[in-house]
Amino acid sequence: MEDVTMSALLYLASGSPRRREILLSLGFEVLRVAAEIDETPYSDEAPGPYALRLAQAKNRAAQIVARQQGLDDSVPLLTADTTVALNGRILGKPESWEDARAMLQALSGTVHQVFTAVCVSRQGKMQSVLQQSDVHFKTLTAAEIEAYLASGEPMDKAGAYGIQGLGGVFVRHLAGSFTGVMGLPVFETTALLADLGVSLPALASGRYSETFVKTKSQVWMPFKA
């Protein structure tokens, strides 16, 4: 491993509040870097390779923005993409209430896959990983679907549900990573950071107590002693 830094700063090229919360729970100070790419899937592109391609493309685009802004390249830059798939078909964020309803009806009583790709770059090096989870949904009643739609939660989430929120009550079983389904698999993310010489600020000696509090978003957050 290269020099290990315990710098708390991390650049995040994502607008996801869930990814930000997870990184904050690991002790990082998070600075958002804006980077836009075309997220249109290629013809017949499989969900896993699609997620990985997007995470890497977002990182390359964010690196250009970071250089233009004169940001420190010793600070890790993280991008990610989460893709929900059913029988190999990519389910993006719903474009309408009808779209969200159709997605939930399709997921009802089935096992679907959630792919989250993470890409981290630092000092000219870039590494990425793809994590897959199998999510078993209970059979949903029409009333449950309508009530969930009324909550507003499905509209900004791939597959029209959020496991960390009200949508979690639909999950009978999860084989994989809870944080991966949320949008950032902690184990794989910390391994990528370690490979690039970045250790977790939350585990720095004496910085945080061993006491954790649970936030409303279901992320375990350390608090300072």
Side-chain angles (χ1 to χ4, degrees), residues 51-208:
L52 188 60
R53 176 175 67 83
L54 260 57
Q56 293 170 342
K58 290 175 183 177
N59 204 289
R60 294 187 186 97
Q63 288 179 53
I64 294 172
V65 173
R67 285 194 295 270
Q68 291 172 341
Q69 295 180 353
L71 300 182
D72 185 354
D73 75 346
S74 70
V75 174
L77 170 62
L78 186 148
T79 53
D81 183 81
T82 298
T83 298
V84 176
L86 178 63
N87 299 324
R89 180 170 67 93
I90 295 172
L91 302 180
K93 295 179 182 179
E95 298 180 356
S96 65
W97 294 109
E98 292 74 17
D99 193 22
R101 181 179 293 108
M103 287 187 188
L104 291 168
Q105 290 171 340
L107 293 174
S108 174
T110 69
V111 179
H112 64 274
Q113 286 67 49
V114 179
F115 300 88
T116 294
V118 183
C119 185
V120 180
S121 59
R122 178 175 181 247
Q123 295 179 320
K125 296 183 178 181
M126 188 172 81
Q127 295 194 29
S128 54
V129 67
L130 178 65
Q131 189 276 326
Q132 175 182 339
S133 297
D134 292 329
V135 183
H136 300 235
F137 252 37
K138 63 170 280 189
T139 299
L140 307 180
T141 66
E144 287 173 326
I145 290 176
E146 294 307 313
Y148 188 50
L149 290 173
S151 75
E153 186 176 276
M155 296 310 295
D156 67 338
K157 296 173 179 64
Y161 79 96
I163 195 171
Q164 75 284 353
L166 187 58
V169 302
F170 302 147
V171 178
R172 295 180 58 246
H173 179 70
L174 166 65
S177 167
F178 179 84
T179 53
V181 178
M182 280 183 65
L184 192 68
V186 168
F187 178 82
E188 289 81 359
T189 298
T190 55
L192 284 182
L193 289 166
D195 286 345
L196 290 174
V198 179
S199 62
L200 296 185
L203 297 182
S205 178
R207 182 165 183 188
Y208 288 91

